[in-house]
Every structure is written in C-alpha cells, then in structure tokens.
Amino acid sequence: MMAQNFLRAGIFLLAAWAAHAPAAAQREIEMSPASRMALGVETATVATATASEGVSAPAMVIAPNGALKAAASPFDGVMVEALKTPGSDIKAGDPLAVIYSASYADAASELEARRLTMAHMAHLAERADELLKLGLRSEQEADEAHHDAISAQLSYEALQEQLEYVRRGGQPGQFVLTAPAAGIVTHVRPGAGEMIDAGAPVISILAGDVFWARAQVSERHGATLKPGAPVTVENISAKGRIVSVDPEIDPATRSLNVVAELPPVRTWRLGAMLTLSFETAPGEGALLVPSKAIVRLGGADVVFVETEEGFLTTPVDVVSRSRQDALIRGGALVQGDKVAVSGLAALKNIASGV
C-alpha cells in the first residue's frame, strides 16, 4: 500500500509539471523525498577529473610508416617460382623468388664492363697526376682525367645499386631476387608464369616488431587527444600511445583519424580489428560524472543536480565520454555535488513539460 501511495505521488507530480510549467522556464524541479523514491531517482557524486578513459573507438592494425618494404624486380620478366610464402620469417639477403628476364644477362655483362672501365679510368687519373708532377701534363688534362674517373665510378655504382638484391640463377636468363630487409613476408603478388613489370613489387615485407592502429574519432572527442597520450587496447594491461592526430576533419563524417602505437605484448596482424580507448587530459575545471547521468534536453547536454528542494537542470560541456564515465565542464558544478543517475526519464519529462 505504501509503495502504491509513493507511485501515485510521483505520477501526480509529473502530471502537475507537465500541465502548468513551460519547458523553457523549468530549471528547478521541486521533488519531495516520497516522489523521489516513487520515481526511483538515485544520485552519484561529482569528482574532480585527473585522467579519464575518454572515448572508445574501433581501430584497424596497420604498419608503421616505412615498415613495409618491397622487393621489386629491376627488369621486366616472368615469375618462375616464389621461394617464400606470406607469414615467412626472413633475414636480409634471403632468396625470395626466381625470375626469368632476357635483360638480366645483358645487365650482368654491362656491370662487369663498367667495373673494368671504372678501374681503367682510375688508373688513367693516377697516371695523369704523376705526369703532371713531371710537367708532362697540364692541370686541365689532369682534371679531365679525374672527371672521367668519377663519371665511370658513378655509372658503375648506379648499375650495381640496381642489381643490389639480385643473384645469378641456376638457369640461363634466371636470377634470384633477395630480401632487402629482415621481417615477415606479407604479400607475394604474381604467381608462377605471370609477367612482372620492372620496378613493380614482387614480395612485400613487414620489417620490425612495432605495429600501429588507426581509429576514427569524432570531432568533439578528437579535440582533447594529444600525441604521446596513453591508449588502452581492449583488455590488455600494457598501454600504447598516440602517434598522431589528423588535423583535418572529414567533412562527411565529422571525424578525424588517430594513429596509435600498440603495446609490444603480442604479434599483431595487419588488418585486424580491435578497440582503442583514449585517455584524455582533463585540464583545469574538468569534472568526472557517470555517463548515464548526462541526458539531452533542448538540444543540449544536461545533468540533474540535487538541491534541498529537488533537482536543478544544469547544462554541461561534455569533453569526452566512455561507457562508464564522462569528462565534463560545467560552470555551476563543483566537486562533491550529487547528480541523478536513475529515474532520468521522469526528470527529463518534468523538465521538458511533457
């Protein structure tokens, strides 16, 4: 019987507010202890924020800048055989693929010819210096000899660099493409018998053991994130860190990209989906309340602050928000205030005059 009386009192109070008070003028909601009990209104204490798990967002594992290396054929050719498969651990210089190219034999011969020319031009430059000392050559002739020697050396080194990751194969016209760096093979693009364009990646390698993840965060939440701030990755105790926050907002989604370095507690897989939780630096005047205390009223975020007579509808600025807590700023709120965390539908209806 007592519970029914409390319920009747709450319904009567709700109807009275809806009938007599315009929504725009309703800031103070008078509520007796009996009505409060009938409507199931409970409160939580406002706390000063130090650091908050501000916002959670889905993210995808990506490779850090410069971590993906490509092993490319220096010549047009045909893939004979891939010697590694995706997921293979490799070291720098390991054989990756056998490729046939009619241009390889010519390039190998040209490299030897340039080596001999470089050695010959270097000898002529040394001889020109000796003759210059004896007065049998002019300075101009000696300079020209050194210029020719340098040109021959540069020509040789350019072709040598082109063939740096190439070894002679076991059959005429074949060569072995080797790894430019240690790491894990991620892609093997052409299959056996397929054509290969000069300079096109044949095998991709993920070098190093650092992984990043990219998430999209709303414009409002992104404004509180700074490079170097800690990041929580799902349920892992070790934390990552923010690498960069995109300064440009996507006009369609009103979001921005945030890149984080993942903690080195496991071998992550490129393209895997996970959840990142970003901690926000609250700044001066920031307070922490339960997320469920915040409701939308008249197009604004508000909380219902407990007073002696009932509750005061108080607008707040939500800095960031997770499932549990919200980081807010509100000029009328102070540490120790109590805000409603249940019975909010009834309070909102009263405040709206519904």
Side-chain angles (χ1 to χ4, degrees):
M1 182 64 70
M2 183 176 295
Q4 291 178 347
N5 290 336
F6 284 155
L7 182 59
R8 291 193 187 98
I11 294 173
F12 175 79
L13 180 61
L14 181 61
W17 271 96
H20 299 293
Q26 288 182 1
R27 301 280 297 177
E28 183 82 25
I29 300 175
E30 295 183 3
M31 182 173 291
S32 66
S35 298
R36 175 173 168 170
M37 183 178 295
L39 296 175
V41 179
E42 298 179 351
T43 61
T45 303
V46 176
T48 300
T50 52
S52 170
E53 186 180 292
V55 60
S56 297
M60 184 173 68
V61 179
I62 62 174
N65 293 339
L68 280 178
K69 309 291 184 180
S73 170
F75 314 106
D76 294 335
V78 178
M79 172 71 92
V80 176
E81 179 186 9
L83 303 178
K84 301 295 181 182
T85 58
S88 300
D89 288 318
I90 59 172
K91 298 178 181 178
D94 281 355
L96 299 179
V98 179
I99 299 172
Y100 170 83
S101 174
S103 302
Y104 170 67
D106 294 339
S109 298
E110 177 64 19
L111 182 65
E112 180 61 16
R114 292 187 189 184
R115 186 190 67 79
L116 294 174
T117 300
M118 177 184 67
H120 178 63
M121 291 301 179
H123 173 72
L124 291 180
E126 292 177 1
R127 182 63 177 162
D129 287 340
E130 294 174 358
L131 294 175
L132 175 63
K133 292 178 182 179
L134 297 174
L136 299 177
R137 287 286 188 273
S138 66
E139 289 188 5
Q140 182 178 354
E141 289 174 323
D143 288 343
E144 289 175 354
H146 279 282
H147 177 271
D148 292 341
I150 293 172
S151 296
Q153 180 180 354
L154 292 176
S155 178
Y156 170 77
E157 290 176 350
L159 185 56
Q160 185 184 42
E161 184 177 356
Q162 186 181 8
L163 300 176
E164 181 178 3
Y165 302 112
V166 167
R167 279 197 234 150
R168 187 180 298 275
Q171 299 294 329
Q174 291 184 359
F175 65 89
V176 177
L177 187 65
T178 62
I184 300 173
V185 175
T186 59
H187 293 91
V188 179
R189 286 172 176 81
E194 295 185 14
M195 297 296 297
I196 298 172
D197 294 330
V202 176
I203 290 180
S204 294
I205 303 164
L206 177 63
D209 54 2
V210 177
F211 291 84
W212 288 0
R214 182 174 57 238
Q216 283 193 322
V217 179
S218 69
E219 175 183 2
R220 182 180 66 180
H221 291 137
T224 67
L225 304 180
K226 302 296 181 184
V231 176
T232 301
V233 184
E234 296 182 336
N235 296 320
I236 299 174
S237 58
K239 293 185 181 294
R241 66 177 185 88
I242 295 178
V243 174
S244 64
V245 180
D246 195 337
E248 184 175 356
I249 298 171
D250 188 319
T253 62
R254 305 309 302 172
S255 62
L256 47 82
N257 287 326
V258 179
V259 175
E261 181 179 320
L262 299 176
V265 294
R266 67 172 69 163
T267 299
W268 305 92
R269 296 193 178 276
L270 299 180
M273 300 301 296
L274 44 80
T275 299
L276 300 182
S277 296
F278 301 97
E279 293 185 6
T280 57
E284 186 177 354
L287 300 170
L288 200 63
V289 299
S291 289
K292 58 186 177 182
I294 300 171
V295 298
R296 294 290 290 179
L297 184 63
D301 292 319
V302 302
V303 294
F304 297 104
V305 182
E306 185 180 42
T307 64
E308 292 183 359
E309 294 77 18
F311 291 90
L312 184 65
T313 304
T314 305
V316 295
D317 178 21
V318 179
V319 177
S320 61
R321 188 173 186 173
S322 67
R323 293 181 180 179
Q324 291 77 30
D325 299 320
L327 197 64
I328 65 171
R329 288 188 177 90
L333 278 178
V334 296
Q335 179 186 5
D337 281 344
K338 294 185 178 297
V339 294
V341 292
S342 63
L344 296 173
L347 290 172
K348 183 176 179 180
N349 287 337
I350 294 173
S352 303
V354 177

